[in-house]
Amino acid sequence: MIGDTRPSWHLHRYLKGSANLFEENRLLKVAVVGLFGITTVLGGAIYTSNQNQRTVVVPFGAGGDLYVTGNMPSAAYLRTMTFNIVSLAGTYSAYSADRQFQELLSLVHPSTYNAVRDSLSRLLDELATNPTLSISTYIRSDQPVTWTKSEILVPVEKVRVIGGVIRKFRGNLRIRYAIDSGRFWLIALQEENFDADIR
């Protein structure tokens, strides 16, 4: 006896309290796990919804199915962007190049902006020393334009005129791009396999 209370009663009360506390903690753990599960499901639903969200992009004067679903552009959207980039980067003269290149630079991703700008600046320097130089580039109709999630391969014909002398070249223009939050970003332009047209 301790005072007038039996020691076994204290032990019983401690064990009962511990059991209740363990039971409460177990319920708390179940509640936390349940909330985590609900948060995961809702997060997944929001992510899926964002990926399936369609951004409709219709420039002035354009038509067709120009849209981006998540980060996947439609074929019509890629064709339109390809045509615009080939026009801006491939058809120019000493009088139009500066304005066109500035417009082209507005599409360039910040990570590659300096490299593309330097490349275009070299073309401007060449035009400054050859004011009669002009370039026209056309997408070839006899070869298909192909694309992946990060590149567009465009078969082109380039007509170079300088001092009244005309030369034609055929090759490919490789356009590296990225789609971020529905926006088209130009990453790089690269000319490949250009040879003089023998016709």
Side-chain angles (χ1 to χ4, degrees):
M1 295 280 295
I2 300 175
D4 50 357
T5 307
R6 297 180 182 275
S8 61
W9 188 82
H10 286 291
L11 182 60
H12 177 71
R13 187 174 64 174
Y14 172 76
L15 292 174
K16 186 175 180 184
S18 296
N20 289 339
L21 184 62
F22 179 76
E23 189 69 26
E24 290 173 5
N25 285 343
R26 188 166 55 182
L27 289 174
L28 180 62
K29 290 176 184 175
V30 170
V32 168
V33 170
L35 287 175
F36 179 76
I38 291 171
T39 303
T40 302
V41 170
L42 290 177
I46 292 172
Y47 176 79
T48 303
S49 175
N50 286 339
Q51 290 301 307
N52 292 330
Q53 183 177 0
R54 177 174 290 184
T55 302
V56 179
V57 183
V58 182
F60 178 76
D65 295 327
L66 308 182
Y67 61 84
V68 177
T69 302
N71 283 332
M72 292 295 296
S74 67
Y77 181 83
L78 284 179
R79 278 194 298 270
T80 300
M81 293 306 297
T82 299
F83 178 80
N84 290 340
I85 290 171
V86 171
S87 296
L88 290 173
T91 301
Y92 54 86
S93 66
Y95 304 103
S96 66
D98 188 50
R99 178 185 53 80
Q100 287 180 223
F101 291 170
Q102 288 299 323
E103 188 172 348
L104 183 65
L105 284 172
S106 69
L107 299 174
V108 178
H109 194 273
S111 65
T112 59
Y113 183 88
N114 291 337
V116 175
R117 182 194 59 198
D118 292 345
S119 176
L120 295 177
S121 294
R122 285 192 290 273
L123 287 177
L124 289 174
D125 291 341
E126 183 181 352
L127 289 169
T129 58
N130 298 295
T132 62
L133 172 63
S134 65
I135 302 288
S136 297
T137 303
Y138 308 96
I139 299 175
R140 293 170 58 185
S141 59
D142 61 330
Q143 298 287 328
V145 176
T146 58
W147 58 79
T148 66
K149 291 182 179 180
S150 60
E151 291 185 343
I152 306 169
L153 189 63
V154 190
V156 295
E157 180 175 273
K158 179 183 286 190
V159 180
R160 177 185 174 105
V161 180
I162 182 167
V165 178
I166 300 174
R167 291 197 68 190
K168 293 183 179 181
F169 302 86
R170 285 188 168 186
N172 295 318
L173 179 65
R174 186 177 299 275
I175 302 170
R176 291 180 51 223
Y177 73 96
I179 303 292
D180 185 14
S181 300
R183 176 169 179 172
F184 183 98
W185 288 106
L186 176 63
I187 303 298
L189 290 171
Q190 182 178 356
E191 293 182 342
E192 299 177 345
N193 304 321
F194 269 84
D195 295 314
D197 188 356
I198 60 175
R199 292 182 305 166

